[in-house]
Amino acid sequence: MKARILSLFLLLLLSISATAQLTDSFTDGDFTQNPAWSGDATSFQINPQQQLQSNGPAITGTTLQLATPSTAANGVTWEFYANLRLATSGGNLADIWLMADQSSLKTSGTKGYFVRLGGTLDEISLFRQDATGSPVYVINGQDGSLKSTTNNVVRVRVTRSPGNVWVLEHDLTGGQNFTSGGTATDATHQRSAYFGVRLTYSSANSRNFYFDDFRITDTVPPALLSATPTGPRQLDALFSEALDAAPSAASYRLVAGPAVLTAQLDAANPALVHLTLGENLPLGNNTLEARNVTDANGIVAAGPLTAVFVNQGFAVAPAFNQVLITEIMADETPVVGLPASEYVEIHNPTAGTVLDLAGMRLLKPGSTTVAVFPAGAALLPGEYAVVCGSTRASQFAAFGKVFGLTNFPSLSNAGDQLVLRARNGQTLFEITYSDTWYKDLRKKEGGWALEMVDPANPCAGSSNWTASTDDSGGTPARANAVRATNPDHAAPALLRAVALTPTIVRLFFGEKLDSLASTNVGLYALTPAVPVTRAAPQGPDFRTVDLQLTTNLPPNQPLIVAVQRATDCAGNGAGPITAAPFALPVAAQSGDVVINEILFNPRTGGVDFVELLNRSDNYLDVQGWQLGTEQPAGVSASPISAGPYGLAPGQLLVLTTRPDVVQTEYPTHDPAAFLAMASFPSLPDDAATVVVLDAKGQAIDRFHYDEKQHLPLLSDRNGVSLERIRAAEASVGGNFHSAASAVGYATPGRPNSQYQADPTGAKLFQIEPEIFTPDEDGQQDFTTLTYRFDYPGYAASITVYDAQGRLTRRLMRNETFPMSGFLQWDGLTDQGRKAAIGPYVLLIELYRVAGGETHVYKRNVVLGGRL
């Protein structure tokens, strides 16, 4: 009988071996391997008929068990042969566990399904065992099915469909002619770890349980039951049965959405696969496709298997530029139409990301307090919200979403720096605004908000902000009234460089950089060559990058730093190589830097400025320097630069509180020559002495200006600067002249219109130019008499006469001369009127007291003009 059944079984096995998860007919005479059964192994044996037979202690109430690993749970057929050579009862029965979550079938809490043979009702039934409580029927078989007292032969087959429909069948002859024992639907337990048998018997029946032909067959490929988003970049795929232990990410694809990067089987549920995506899931409906998915038994579902799901969004911590400040109300009075309260507006520009703002901080750099967003604060895709002080939130409730924060920063009307930082301290957004961004003098006075023009260009400053055009003065919690396309296509420019230490060089750029791209040391090169080991962009605005060098720089040695493909935070990086000279600065000496131009009487709406010139051959750093005016009680000064600021030989530096205003009135091609000061010394319109102090408080230069130094012919001196004539000469009134009308009456950041190079030659006195035209066109507006002596101690009188010998102007009377210098004649008479066109003679009466020498010289000059 065993041989005939075995041959039939082997024939069937050959046809389905690829789908069988477990097969054991005990023909090898061993149940401890292929497969390995464990438990009460000493209480079982393989008998001569090659069947598994109980052989336990002859003690009433004994319970034995054997179990073998099996993960089969769905779309599976279980089959086995049994012979209970005893009268079944409540104390004599066999439970064959089709699914068990642990190997100990006798332990309370084991979950799964089993077929009971015997029991009080002498039945063949399917039970479910939960973690607690008694077993419950899934299929209640016919009572009295096993009624023999000595020979209860049965072959049982149980099938569970992918839809969790259970079918119980049996053949009481032990053959293959199965009779239905019932059907039922139950989906309670979806996982299995073991298959096994558990026996309970009285003392006389310890050797009366026989089993054979265990077979677990998986004939159904896995089905994709569902796809569930569990995070912004996480998606769970649930299958109908346990899968292969190493799922492939290549088997999964979203119909609309990011790529699947990884696929990981759940540690507790092998039918569950955790998918990690390359980007955030888009909101709305989507479909997951699965192809070539293999279950734990090797059955492949070619697919595509599909599961439709809906992503309603997950709040995630914002990344850089994912939460923006798009509106600022710094000056709330006089009221135009909005509440009389300062506020800023924040915006989520993403199309499908819900932002978790909990713990995000709004602050002003340097402040000791920060405003922190509370737990649960979120911003939906495309949403705007008002951020204000906690006591002002109710004023904005009607406008939309409002976050009222404790320690909301006070917003300066003239300008401020605001930063949004993530919980981990990462800079999310930075803005340094100014009231010049209004571009409207009326709205600048209060009641109007500043609005960002293009949220897609968040890195831009003034060019992407302007005053609101909404009638109420602003658009809190909604799209800005000025919203328009305003892209940034310009690559960032390197403005300047300065060596902070012998091994650290700081680069200054004209706009915010991509903080990640700018860390690439390969973008930077120094000439002469010095290797760069590290590039560190400096927050919160990322307009500067510190380069760490391998070797110390020698002081005052000129170098050039070049930057390739500098990328701004808008992604613009295609541009020519940009470069800047620098050197390790040395200490400045008195006279190294001089006042080169000064505007002390600006036009209405204008501002004062002072232009400095580094006339030395040294590289200097003006950090800690001050600009001030001498007062009876001492010098009243303002800091020039709190941070490092390099000044190269020949470099101009324009100091003012409002570079934008100065550049508007006096256009320049070099905005980098301007340095904005937080405050500026008061420059009276009539006269004052301006002084430049170094970081130690020592005077580097001083100049006493006087409105009388202006050309007397000027009808209006407002907005006209005094320009230095010669760089190398002293900072005295005679070395300054009114800027020419042809250049707009001032040249901040540009060469002076009245600049003269020092004349060369061996003559004692030299006239330059010999023909001049004092018409304020910037071309030969005055003439200069340059002198150079071999010995000190000379004095002179210099007088101008016309062609008829009449006195026109006394330039100097009995005054002592230094060994070299110059004086100017602007073409005016002693009465302050313009002299007539024609030739003139400068009579020079020179005498030297020490030697008693007296000399008389004449120099001819022509005063020209338009006829």
Side-chain angles (χ1 to χ4, degrees):
M1 176 70 178
K2 173 75 175 179
R4 184 175 67 82
I5 293 177
L6 178 59
S7 63
L8 292 174
F9 175 70
L10 290 175
L11 181 63
L12 178 62
L13 179 62
L14 289 174
S15 65
I16 64 172
S17 60
T19 63
Q21 185 197 40
L22 182 146
T23 300
D24 202 346
S25 57
F26 308 105
T27 55
D28 58 359
D30 188 359
F31 63 85
T32 61
Q33 59 183 354
N34 298 321
W37 298 75
S38 60
D40 300 317
T42 59
S43 296
F44 288 87
Q45 66 180 10
I46 304 300
N47 65 21
Q49 289 74 38
Q50 297 179 318
Q51 294 176 327
L52 180 68
Q53 180 184 356
S54 62
N55 189 26
I59 301 174
T60 297
T62 296
T63 299
L64 304 178
Q65 72 157 39
L66 281 180
T68 187
S70 172
T71 58
N74 209 301
V76 179
T77 296
W78 295 267
E79 190 172 330
F80 60 90
Y81 168 90
N83 186 358
L84 276 58
R85 295 180 181 180
L86 50 84
T88 62
S89 65
N92 290 278
L93 55 88
D95 291 335
I96 292 79
W97 282 75
L98 311 180
M99 295 170 53
D101 67 341
Q102 54 186 320
S103 61
S104 179
L105 307 180
K106 296 186 289 185
T107 301
S108 175
T110 299
K111 297 179 293 188
Y113 298 92
F114 62 83
V115 173
R116 172 160 292 177
L117 303 178
T120 304
L121 300 178
D122 302 326
E123 60 188 335
I124 305 173
S125 297
L126 178 65
F127 283 84
R128 185 187 77 239
Q129 177 65 61
D130 298 327
T132 59
S134 300
V136 296
Y137 280 109
V138 176
I139 299 175
N140 187 358
Q142 184 176 354
D143 296 347
S145 294
L146 303 178
K147 55 187 177 182
S148 172
T149 60
T150 59
N151 191 38
N152 292 295
V153 174
V154 65
R155 186 177 294 275
V156 177
R157 183 169 68 187
V158 179
T159 302
R160 184 184 190 181
S161 75
N164 298 302
V165 176
W166 295 82
V167 177
L168 174 64
E169 299 174 287
H170 59 265
D171 182 344
L172 296 179
T173 67
Q176 298 288 331
N177 296 315
F178 292 104
T179 300
S180 175
T183 63
T185 299
D186 191 293
T188 305
H189 302 306
Q190 295 291 329
R191 302 190 306 274
S192 175
Y194 292 91
F195 172 90
V197 297
R198 183 180 65 187
L199 313 178
T200 301
Y201 58 83
S202 58
S203 59
N205 295 318
S206 63
R207 294 172 51 85
N208 292 339
F209 294 86
Y210 298 80
F211 299 96
D212 204 352
D213 298 343
F214 287 109
R215 184 167 72 251
I216 302 175
T217 306
D218 183 356
T219 59
V220 180
L224 178 58
L225 302 181
S226 65
T228 305
T230 58
R233 298 190 179 189
Q234 300 293 327
L235 186 65
D236 278 359
L238 180 64
F239 290 86
S240 58
E241 57 182 308
L243 299 187
D244 180 76
S248 171
S251 297
Y252 302 91
R253 185 182 78 89
L254 284 170
V255 172
V260 177
L261 300 184
T262 64
Q264 181 67 45
L265 206 63
D266 185 83
N269 182 5
L272 183 64
V273 179
H274 303 298
L275 304 179
T276 301
L277 310 179
E279 297 177 5
N280 290 347
L281 271 170
L283 295 177
N285 295 333
N286 213 323
T287 302
L288 176 66
E289 291 183 350
R291 289 178 170 83
N292 301 316
V293 177
T294 305
D295 67 14
N297 302 320
I299 306 298
V300 178
L305 309 177
T306 61
V308 177
F309 65 93
V310 179
N311 178 29
Q312 297 180 340
F314 292 87
V316 299
F320 180 68
N321 276 350
Q322 278 195 328
V323 56
L324 311 176
I325 294 176
T326 50
E327 189 169 331
I328 301 170
M329 177 64 85
D331 188 355
E332 68 275 24
T333 57
V335 171
V336 174
L338 296 175
S341 178
E342 295 179 350
Y343 71 86
V344 298
E345 174 189 81
I346 59 174
H347 172 52
N348 176 358
T350 69
T353 303
V354 180
L355 300 179
D356 178 9
L357 305 185
M360 186 177 75
R361 293 172 286 170
L362 172 65
L363 56 93
K364 295 199 298 185
S367 174
T368 58
T369 61
V370 297
V372 181
F373 285 74
L379 206 57
L380 301 178
E383 190 175 26
Y384 295 82
V386 172
V387 183
C388 60
S390 56
T391 60
R392 304 299 181 95
S394 60
Q395 299 181 10
F396 294 96
F399 294 93
K401 181 173 284 188
V402 182
F403 297 110
L405 305 182
T406 304
N407 295 326
F408 179 81
S410 175
L411 307 180
S412 171
N413 295 348
D416 239 326
Q417 184 179 28
L418 298 173
V419 178
L420 292 173
R421 284 208 175 107
R423 291 188 292 265
N424 62 3
Q426 175 193 3
T427 296
L428 301 175
F429 182 79
E430 180 274 342
I431 188 72
T432 302
Y433 69 89
S434 166
D435 60 6
T436 60
W437 291 12
Y438 286 96
K439 305 176 182 70
D440 186 308
L441 293 178
R442 178 179 63 89
K443 294 181 178 180
K444 172 184 170 183
E445 295 305 314
W448 295 85
L450 282 171
E451 293 186 345
M452 181 184 284
V453 176
D454 188 355
N457 183 16
C459 303
S462 174
S463 63
N464 198 40
W465 286 75
T466 192
S468 176
T469 56
D470 191 88
D471 291 341
S472 67
T475 54
R478 57 190 173 94
N480 291 343
V482 301
R483 185 166 181 167
T485 301
N486 183 35
D488 175 9
H489 296 306
L494 175 62
L495 301 181
R496 54 191 174 89
V498 61
L500 305 182
T501 71
T503 57
I504 297 179
V505 178
R506 177 164 292 177
L507 310 185
F508 296 80
F509 292 85
E511 56 181 312
K512 299 178 184 178
L513 299 180
D514 182 322
S515 59
L516 179 60
S518 58
T519 61
N520 181 4
V521 295
L523 300 179
Y524 312 94
L526 272 65
T527 306
V530 180
V532 177
T533 60
R534 181 171 178 264
Q538 302 298 300
D541 60 352
F542 301 109
R543 292 175 181 266
T544 61
V545 178
D546 284 358
L547 304 183
Q548 179 72 50
L549 309 181
T550 57
T551 58
N552 288 350
L553 297 176
N556 218 34
Q557 176 180 305
L559 297 98
I560 294 177
V561 59
V563 184
Q564 301 183 36
R565 302 189 315 279
T567 305
D568 64 19
C569 77
N572 298 307
I577 296 176
T578 181
F582 75 98
L584 183 64
V586 297
Q589 303 298 318
S590 178
D592 280 356
V593 175
V594 294
I595 296 170
N596 194 56
E597 185 175 358
I598 182 169
L599 178 68
F600 53 86
N601 53 346
R603 303 184 186 99
T604 301
V607 292
D608 298 338
F609 73 78
V610 172
E611 180 185 73
L612 304 182
L613 168 66
N614 180 3
R615 66 179 184 180
S616 74
D617 295 327
N618 298 324
Y619 285 81
L620 310 172
D621 185 356
V622 301
Q623 182 176 10
W625 287 25
Q626 298 181 83
L627 179 69
T629 55
E630 292 184 342
Q631 308 288 342
V635 176
S636 175
S638 300
I640 290 177
S641 177
Y645 199 102
L647 205 57
Q651 183 178 338
L652 296 173
L653 180 61
V654 182
L655 307 177
T656 181
T657 57
R658 295 294 299 273
D660 54 324
V661 173
V662 176
Q663 292 171 31
T664 298
E665 293 200 357
Y666 309 104
T668 178
H669 299 295
D670 188 15
F674 287 76
L675 177 58
M677 293 175 56
S679 60
F680 207 75
S682 176
L683 301 182
D685 288 350
D686 52 356
T689 299
V690 181
V691 60
V692 179
L693 305 175
D694 67 10
K696 296 180 179 179
Q698 298 174 342
I700 297 296
D701 189 36
R702 59 166 40 86
F703 170 58
H704 179 79
Y705 71 83
D706 192 306
E707 63 176 344
K708 296 177 182 178
Q709 294 165 358
H710 274 300
L711 181 67
L713 294 178
L714 290 171
S715 60
D716 184 2
R717 298 171 183 172
N718 292 322
V720 182
S721 72
L722 285 175
E723 294 182 330
R724 192 182 197 91
I725 298 173
R726 294 185 183 175
E729 301 296 337
S731 296
V732 295
N735 195 23
F736 282 79
H737 193 278
S738 301
S741 61
V743 295
Y745 293 109
T747 56
R750 293 182 288 159
N752 290 347
S753 63
Q754 306 295 7
Y755 169 77
Q756 282 189 355
D758 292 338
T760 59
K763 293 182 178 180
L764 192 64
F765 292 96
Q766 181 177 351
I767 286 286
E768 178 68 27
E770 294 181 351
I771 300 176
F772 72 107
T773 54
D775 53 10
E776 285 302 299
D777 64 355
Q779 303 294 321
Q780 293 84 41
D781 285 334
F782 55 91
T783 189
T784 57
L785 177 68
T786 302
Y787 54 87
R788 189 180 306 276
F789 304 122
D790 296 331
Y791 304 100
Y794 282 99
S797 294
I798 302 176
T799 310
V800 181
Y801 294 92
D802 64 13
Q804 285 74 40
R806 293 174 296 194
L807 176 64
T808 301
R809 178 81 174 268
R810 295 183 187 274
L811 297 179
M812 184 176 291
R813 177 179 294 179
N814 297 328
E815 294 187 27
T816 57
F817 272 36
M819 290 188 65
S820 63
F822 75 98
L823 55 86
Q824 60 170 292
W825 181 38
D826 52 17
L828 299 183
T829 68
D830 281 338
Q831 291 74 38
R833 294 188 292 270
K834 185 176 180 180
I837 295 174
Y840 290 84
V841 175
L842 273 65
L843 179 66
I844 306 164
E845 299 172 274
L846 182 67
Y847 54 92
R848 186 164 180 263
V849 177
E853 303 174 23
T854 301
H855 303 278
V856 177
Y857 301 90
K858 293 181 180 180
R859 292 293 183 267
N860 297 322
V861 68
V862 176
L863 191 156
R866 297 179 183 177
L867 299 178

